Amino acid sequence: LPIVVRQWEAGRAIVSAGGRPKECCLVIEGFCVRAKTTVSGQRQILSIHIAGEIPDLQSLHLHRMDHDLIAVAASTLGFISHASLRALTRANPNIAEILWRDTLIDSAILREWIVNVGQRPAPSRLAHTLVEFRRRLASSGRAAGDTFEMPLTQEQISEALGITPVHANRIIRQLRDDKIGDISRGRVTVLDEAKFAEL
């Protein structure tokens, strides 16, 4: 596939709600989030995306974006035109099947996030998000051992968990005080694997 590689700064939208993109974005390096913002300006982060993922694959068939896709760290992105992707999937049904499977996995993760925000207590929300993120990083060879990169600020963590920044701060401090895990300077360190998993 023809791909145009671009450098993207942290905080910059890749695609905004209401936009009509003509290309999909592959995260080559860095991190992106999907988010929706309410009329009153409150933002809900819907998912975090890592290198190797195409977080806006649905734009290939849903022509108007209903959410924002934002780089949360300096990132290297590859843009693939919809025309090229359509031609590839029409000529290679097995590739179309793989991309369809990718969107189904993405939907399954989103359903888990809905349960996370709607039903779990806040400390478990954070632990669940970190466990999921760590496993996804590990599956792409980007996390090993008890420390891994986590690019979200405290405010962004609160937006992902559906809680206030003050509450997020308390939960992060509680994890540290209970010697379960430590989040600082864009990294997570698991201090007690068993307690972390249990939470």
Side-chain angles (χ1 to χ4, degrees):
L1 286 169
I3 186 165
V4 177
V5 177
R6 298 182 187 131
Q7 300 305 312
W8 221 260
E9 61 268 17
R12 182 178 170 199
I14 300 160
V15 186
S16 297
R20 295 175 176 271
K22 301 272 188 265
E23 53 197 3
C24 287
C25 163
L26 167 69
V27 182
I28 297 171
E29 288 294 334
F31 299 91
C32 302
V33 295
R34 283 194 198 122
K36 284 187 78 93
T37 305
T38 65
V39 175
S40 62
Q42 293 175 296
R43 186 168 76 165
Q44 177 69 50
I45 290 178
L46 307 168
S47 56
I48 308 168
H49 295 277
I50 64 174
E53 296 181 349
I54 305 176
D56 62 346
L57 194 55
Q58 71 273 17
S59 72
L60 188 59
H61 299 292
L62 301 175
H63 303 295
R64 183 187 292 262
M65 290 291 283
D66 67 349
H67 62 276
D68 301 319
L69 179 63
I70 305 157
V72 291
S75 300
T76 303
L77 307 175
F79 293 88
I80 308 163
S81 74
H82 286 171
S84 297
L85 274 167
R86 282 193 192 99
L88 179 70
T89 56
R90 287 176 183 147
N92 300 278
N94 58 328
I95 292 175
E97 191 173 300
I98 289 167
L99 295 178
W100 173 234
R101 183 175 186 270
D102 181 70
T103 59
L104 293 174
I105 291 168
D106 188 55
S107 295
I109 292 170
L110 180 60
R111 286 189 292 276
E112 198 63 43
W113 271 55
I114 291 168
V115 172
N116 203 37
V117 171
Q119 298 299 322
R120 293 189 179 109
S124 293
R125 288 182 200 183
L126 178 57
H128 175 86
T129 302
L130 295 176
V131 167
E132 176 216 301
F133 194 65
R134 179 187 189 192
R135 286 191 181 164
R136 287 171 53 219
L137 286 170
S139 73
S140 65
R142 295 176 183 273
D146 57 7
T147 302
F148 58 97
E149 194 172 357
M150 170 63 160
L152 300 186
T153 64
Q154 213 161 273
E155 183 177 358
Q156 291 166 334
I157 289 170
S158 75
E159 292 171 338
L161 302 182
I163 58 177
T164 66
V166 172
H167 196 181
N169 179 277
R170 272 197 302 264
I171 293 164
I172 291 167
R173 196 170 56 243
Q174 181 186 340
L175 277 182
R176 188 179 304 122
D177 292 347
D178 293 344
K179 297 188 175 15
I180 295 173
D182 184 36
I183 302 172
S184 61
R185 295 186 179 87
R187 299 196 70 73
V188 176
T189 303
V190 178
L191 303 173
D192 188 319
E193 195 72 53
K195 286 183 183 175
F196 189 63
E198 182 184 353
L199 185 61

